[in-house]
């Protein structure tokens, strides 16, 4: 659409509440022509809010319309690109949210508090602060690490793919330590030398500084900015402005960065594409990985999805049609580690063979404890993975069986010994540990189970003189704590590192030769059909932290303490065979009619009582039952969510299933306006989650 002439109305996307039903841009008057993508301030109710001039709108003369005028426009900024608006438009439609709601949610929050004059002053300060970078020079080939044969082949294929029309998507499937990051760096170099920008996505904040350091070292004369929730509002705004203005050559960030406005985008990389962190879990529940693929198509930029354990959806897309796949992606394989080192040997430790007395005394079997002691004696490091923080998951009374439940959630309060508290990890409710059982007065209340805090304590007692450290959400709460902890590990100041999944992926620990998974069995029998897939990925990623230095690779080991050593998942882990495991899981999914062979959505409702939440869902199902049957959509009965109550709010969900995506989308688009008018039974809030990861 061309820019509107003066005196015509403009369509402006504003952040309207979902329940308002205002899911499309609203019309306003403008005294001057404003191009789509221009940021404006407009009256909305009794407030003035930030908005974005959108591409849709009527062409009727404004003089005949009783419309309110815009307050001002942000003329110091270029309009948001057309491809950015198309991405937001698609995401809003697919994930069933309002265009304005999503568009404003992905803009820096600091923009909402600025008027045009304040933004112009901010831009002037930013331009003074940013020193012009030195003239970039092509990377000196002599200073670069030699490529392996597999890396060279992958780069040749990526360059051929980039020259194709359209460039398409490549799955870079490389074992841990195979040099996927080097492939990203070389491709980024090619794109930057061509005068374009690169976008690199990582799943978690704690991986961003490490990758940022790698890119900064390789591209010292390029401007690199990061976008993630760990930035202050001012930092995020400054980095976002550099991206929009074309000043940033490289943008690295978490899922929010997929919406970074980049006028010269030439490459998108999604590292660890399998990670569930790419799925937003509140508001507009989008998948940054899937939107990155769409954005590559919109901007004709190649997309690289990298992983040692690709998600089953990505596997399916990379399989040829002849093999039962979708044939949409090209798969590139890095089968060996850089330097020729082997993958760690997997040792399954059958806990059924460990005497009960020893299990009660320590979380680690004697054989594993001995292996760790041997590593310490050789000056090597060990990493223990226990995906449960705190000292103990629950306290209980030996006399009356009281347990430390949370009064506000369907969960136990976790015992934290360091500050002697019982803390709910869902609502945050915290109390001091009682001196005696609250129910019967018994003073003998004991911890049940183990968390990272208790494992750290037991290791320190069993290995006198060993330097034991812990990294989890409790020890990294303060700014800089995570970076300081990782620096100690890299410097060799830690013998044994205990941590949750935050230490199991992405880190290049050169001295670690032993990794152990302490309690991984719970996910094997979860009601969530994706739980085994996530467990396999986590264990294989954790195993990849061992033996990354080729000199120590032969002696590296991955220990798994399990009660089910014969499980097929551990057999695939023993062979480091993610391909065979993916094929077996896809066969099961096909037989069961589960994604990627079916398409799902969840309707969630929160209320003061479980009965009210489920009654609302049942009423919603009744409203849509006729249309669902006509579209081939199945509406399952409402059920409580796995975590039924959080912070005194009862939660329930209704599963929606269809064999194909288009009829599901059409059904949802017609159903949601009906739900907005559904007032009784009364609920606090409701939301649709398309392509849910947690069921």
């Amino acid at each position: 659409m061309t820019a509107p002439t003066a005196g015509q109305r403009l369509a402006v996307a504003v952040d309207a509440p979902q329940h308002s039903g205002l899911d499309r841009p609203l019309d306003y008057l403008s005294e001057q022509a404003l191009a789509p993508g221009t940021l404006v301030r407009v009256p909305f109710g009794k407030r003035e809010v930030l908005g974005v001039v959108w591409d849709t709108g009527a062409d009727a003369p404004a003089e005949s319309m009783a419309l309110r005028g815009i307050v001002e426009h942000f003329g110091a900024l270029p309009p948001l690109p057309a491809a950015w608006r198309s991405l937001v438009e698609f995401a809003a439609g697919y994930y069933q949210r309002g265009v304005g709601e999503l568009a404003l949610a992905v803009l820096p929050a600091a923009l909402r508090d600025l008027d045009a004059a304040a933004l112009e002053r901010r831009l002037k300060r930013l331009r003074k602060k940013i020193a012009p970078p030195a003239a970039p020079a092509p990377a000196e080939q002599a200073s670069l690490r030699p490529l392996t044969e597999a890396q060279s082949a992958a780069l040749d294929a990526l360059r051929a793919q980039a020259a194709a029309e359209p460039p398409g998507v490549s799955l870079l499937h490389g074992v841990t330590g195979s040099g996927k990051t080097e492939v990203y760096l070389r491709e980024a170099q090619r794109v930057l030398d061509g005068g374009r920008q690169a976008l690199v996505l990582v799943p978690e904040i704690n991986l961003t500084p490490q990758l940022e350091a790698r890119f900064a070292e390789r591209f010292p004369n390029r401007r690199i900015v990061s976008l993630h929730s760990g930035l202050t509002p001012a930092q995020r705004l400054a980095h976002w402005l550099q991206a929009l203005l074309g000043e940033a050559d490289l943008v690295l960030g978490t899922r929010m960065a997929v919406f970074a406005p980049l006028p010269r985008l030439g490459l998108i990389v999604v590292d660890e594409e399998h990670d569930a962190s790419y799925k937003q879990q509140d508001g507009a529940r989008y998948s940054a990985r899937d939107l990155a693929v769409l954005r590559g198509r919109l901007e004709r930029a190649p997309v690289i999805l990298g992983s040692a354990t690709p998600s089953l959806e990505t596997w399916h897309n990379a399989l040829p049609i002849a093999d039962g796949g979708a044939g949409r992606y090209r798969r590139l394989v890095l089968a060996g580690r850089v330097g020729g080192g082997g993958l760690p040997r997997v040792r399954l430790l059958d806990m059924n063979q460990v005497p009960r007395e020893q299990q009660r005394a320590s979380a680690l079997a004697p054989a594993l404890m001995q292996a760790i002691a041997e590593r310490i004696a050789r000056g090597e490091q060990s990493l223990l993975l226990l995906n449960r923080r705190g000292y103990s998951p629950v306290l209980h009374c030996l006399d009356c069986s009281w347990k430390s439940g949370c009064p506000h959630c369907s969960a136990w309060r976790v015992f934290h010994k360091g500050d002697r508290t019982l803390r709910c990890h869902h609502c945050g409710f915290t109390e001091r540990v009682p001196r005696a059982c609250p129910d019967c007065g018994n003073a003998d209340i004991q911890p049940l189970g183990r968390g990272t805090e208790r494992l750290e304590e037991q290791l320190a007692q069993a290995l006198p003189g060993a330097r034991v450290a812990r990294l989890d959400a409790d020890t990294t709460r303060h700014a800089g704590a995570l970076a300081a902890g990782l620096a100690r590990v890299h410097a060799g100041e830690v013998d044994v590192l205990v941590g949750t999944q935050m230490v199991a992926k992405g880190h290049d620990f050169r001295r670690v030769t032993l990794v152990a998974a302490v309690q991984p069995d719970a996910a094997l029998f979860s009601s969530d059909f994706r739980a085994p897939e996530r467990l396999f990925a986590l264990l294989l990623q954790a195993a990849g932290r061992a033996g990354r230095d080729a000199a120590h690779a032969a002696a590296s080991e991955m220990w798994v303490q399990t009660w089910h050593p014969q499980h097929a998942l551990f057999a695939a882990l023993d062979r480091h065979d993610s391909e065979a495991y993916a094929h077996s899981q896809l066969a099961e999914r096909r037989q069961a009619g589960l994604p990627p062979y079916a398409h799902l959505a969840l309707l969630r409702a929160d209320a003061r009582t479980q009965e009210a939440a489920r009654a609302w869902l049942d009423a919603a199902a009744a409203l849509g039952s006729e249309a669902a049957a006509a579209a081939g959509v199945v509406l399952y009965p409402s059920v409580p969510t796995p975590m039924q109550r959080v912070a005194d709010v009862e939660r329930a969900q209704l599963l929606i299933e269809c064999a194909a995506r288009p009829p599901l989308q059409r059904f949802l688009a017609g159903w949601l306006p009906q739900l907005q008018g559904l007032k009784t039974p009364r609920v606090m809030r409701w939301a649709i989650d398309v392509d849910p990861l947690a069921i």
Side-chain angles (χ1 to χ4, degrees):
M1 171 185 166
T2 58
T5 59
Q8 288 187 325
R9 61 186 180 183
L10 297 178
V12 179
V14 297
D15 186 4
Q18 184 187 29
H19 61 78
S20 69
L22 302 175
D23 58 349
R24 305 303 304 167
L26 306 179
D27 287 339
Y28 289 89
L29 295 180
S30 174
E31 296 180 356
Q32 62 185 109
L34 297 177
T38 301
L39 292 177
V40 294
R41 295 195 72 81
V42 296
F44 183 67
K46 297 180 179 180
R47 301 176 295 137
E48 289 183 2
V49 298
L50 185 68
V52 183
V53 178
W54 216 251
D55 300 74
T56 56
D59 296 324
E63 291 78 6
S64 63
M65 307 298 296
L67 300 175
R68 304 172 77 178
I70 67 168
V71 177
E72 61 179 356
H73 72 282
F74 292 55
L77 281 181
L80 291 161
W84 183 91
R85 302 193 303 275
S86 297
L87 180 69
V88 170
E89 184 92 31
F90 173 87
Y94 185 82
Y95 295 105
Q96 304 298 324
R97 310 297 294 197
V99 170
E101 177 195 8
L102 183 57
L104 274 296
V106 301
L107 294 179
L111 274 176
R112 298 173 184 248
D113 301 324
L114 299 177
D115 57 21
L119 179 61
E120 192 166 355
R121 290 194 297 271
R122 186 78 63 98
L123 282 169
K124 287 180 180 179
R125 291 198 300 269
L126 181 63
R127 289 189 171 104
K128 289 180 180 178
K129 185 178 179 180
I130 299 175
E140 294 291 337
Q141 295 300 317
S143 64
L144 298 180
R145 181 181 301 175
L147 295 171
T148 65
E149 185 176 333
Q151 285 175 318
S152 296
L155 283 167
D156 290 341
L158 288 170
R159 285 163 187 162
Q161 189 91 339
E165 189 58 40
V169 181
S170 299
L171 167 60
L172 186 62
H173 178 209
V175 299
T176 52
S178 61
K180 294 186 291 294
T181 303
E182 183 62 31
V183 174
Y184 304 156
L185 290 165
R186 301 282 181 121
E187 270 299 278
Q189 180 73 58
R190 179 188 62 79
V191 168
L192 297 181
D193 289 345
R196 303 187 73 182
Q197 297 166 294
L199 172 63
V200 181
L201 301 181
V202 295
E204 297 183 31
I205 292 173
N206 61 54
L207 299 182
T208 306
Q210 176 178 301
L211 197 62
E212 194 171 8
R214 289 286 302 275
F215 275 85
E217 180 183 12
R218 179 63 60 88
F219 305 116
N221 296 327
R222 298 286 188 176
R223 185 166 290 124
I224 303 172
V225 301
S226 58
L227 284 173
H228 54 77
S229 59
L231 301 174
T232 66
Q235 288 172 328
R236 184 184 170 195
L237 176 60
H239 293 184
W240 183 87
L241 289 172
Q242 291 178 68
L244 173 61
L245 297 172
E247 297 285 348
D249 298 304
L250 281 147
V251 173
L252 286 81
T254 50
R255 60 177 177 262
M256 68 167 63
V258 74
F259 290 104
L262 296 162
R264 307 188 318 277
L265 183 61
L267 173 69
I268 302 175
V269 174
V270 184
D271 192 29
E272 309 292 358
E273 66 81 26
H274 65 277
D275 200 290
S277 298
Y278 284 121
K279 184 76 158 71
Q280 177 77 9
Q281 293 302 322
D282 53 30
R285 292 166 167 83
Y286 62 85
S287 165
R289 178 199 63 201
D290 295 347
L291 291 182
V293 171
L294 172 70
R295 186 168 188 182
R297 189 186 314 147
L298 290 172
E299 307 215 29
R300 300 194 175 277
V303 179
I304 303 174
L305 306 178
S307 178
T309 54
S311 65
L312 292 185
E313 286 79 7
T314 297
W315 266 111
H316 181 252
N317 282 325
L319 280 176
I321 296 175
D323 295 336
R328 296 189 184 98
Y329 303 164
R330 180 171 184 174
R331 179 169 167 246
L332 309 174
V333 180
L334 303 179
R337 282 183 156 182
V338 173
L343 293 168
R345 174 192 174 194
V346 176
R347 299 189 59 171
L348 299 178
L349 205 161
D350 187 352
M351 294 301 289
N352 296 289
Q353 304 301 318
V354 178
R356 298 286 176 151
E357 296 76 17
Q358 293 178 345
Q359 292 180 30
R360 285 193 289 266
S362 173
L364 303 183
L368 177 53
M369 192 69 78
Q370 178 62 32
I372 294 171
E374 291 172 0
R375 293 305 198 282
I376 296 173
R378 296 203 298 262
E380 299 168 4
Q381 293 174 320
S382 300
L383 187 154
L384 302 186
L385 172 65
L386 177 56
N387 209 21
R388 185 184 294 275
R389 61 190 174 99
Y391 188 85
S392 171
V394 62
L395 285 183
H396 82 125
C397 174
L398 297 177
D399 283 356
C400 72
S401 299
W402 168 87
K403 293 182 177 62
S404 55
C406 177
H408 308 292
C409 303
S410 303
W412 306 116
R413 281 179 294 164
V414 177
F415 172 39
H416 289 258
K417 188 176 181 180
D419 56 6
R420 299 292 298 175
T421 60
L422 292 174
R423 191 182 312 160
C424 178
H425 290 174
H426 298 278
C427 72
F429 179 67
T430 302
E431 283 185 330
R432 300 287 297 174
V433 173
R435 296 181 180 275
C437 173
D439 286 355
C440 72
N442 173 34
D444 191 11
I445 50 177
Q446 297 292 327
L448 273 180
R450 295 177 177 88
T452 50
E453 188 181 359
R454 190 175 188 182
L455 180 56
E456 178 190 25
E457 178 186 272
Q458 290 182 342
L459 283 166
Q461 292 171 352
L463 301 169
R467 297 169 297 177
V468 182
R470 172 166 55 99
L471 285 178
D472 55 26
D474 296 320
T475 63
T476 60
R477 190 175 305 159
H478 303 295
L482 176 61
L486 292 174
R488 290 182 59 210
V489 179
H490 290 300
E493 299 172 4
V494 173
D495 297 317
V496 184
L497 176 63
V498 177
T500 54
Q501 62 178 345
M502 68 164 56
V503 301
K505 47 196 175 184
H507 302 290
D508 189 17
F509 298 133
R510 307 302 293 180
R511 295 178 174 87
V512 170
T513 59
L514 183 148
V515 173
V518 179
Q519 294 176 351
D521 285 351
L524 295 177
F525 308 103
S526 169
S527 60
D528 187 346
F529 68 89
R530 285 192 171 92
E533 176 191 358
R534 288 195 291 265
L535 175 62
F536 181 79
L538 178 62
L539 294 179
L540 203 60
Q541 293 284 338
R545 299 317 106 203
R548 296 180 73 88
D549 187 335
H552 298 105
S556 64
E557 292 181 335
M558 168 66 169
W559 289 62
V560 180
Q561 292 192 163
T562 175
W563 294 89
H564 306 279
Q566 305 305 319
H567 197 283
L569 183 149
F570 296 129
L573 179 68
D574 184 41
R575 302 189 303 270
H576 295 273
D577 196 345
S578 60
E579 182 172 359
Y581 185 72
H583 281 292
S584 68
Q585 286 290 295
L586 283 173
E588 291 182 13
R589 297 271 186 95
R590 182 193 290 273
Q591 187 175 13
L594 293 170
Y597 303 103
H599 303 279
L600 305 178
L602 277 178
L603 177 62
R604 306 179 192 268
D606 295 349
R608 287 300 177 192
T609 67
Q610 183 66 210
E611 292 75 19
R614 295 185 61 182
W616 188 90
L617 291 173
D618 293 341
L623 279 177
S625 59
E626 186 175 335
V633 172
V634 179
L635 302 178
Y636 288 90
S638 62
V639 295
T641 59
M643 181 62 64
Q644 179 174 325
R645 188 175 79 257
V646 174
D648 293 320
V649 174
E650 293 284 341
R651 309 187 303 172
Q653 63 187 25
L654 184 152
L655 181 64
I656 306 145
E657 180 186 79
C658 188
R661 186 174 279 121
L664 175 61
Q665 284 291 313
R666 287 193 294 270
F667 166 73
L668 293 176
W671 191 33
L672 259 63
Q674 296 177 284
L675 301 186
Q676 288 163 358
L678 184 59
K679 302 299 183 184
T680 55
R682 186 174 179 83
V683 293
M684 299 168 62
R685 53 187 168 267
W686 60 269
I688 281 280
D689 186 358
V690 180
D691 300 335
L693 289 187
I695 295 177

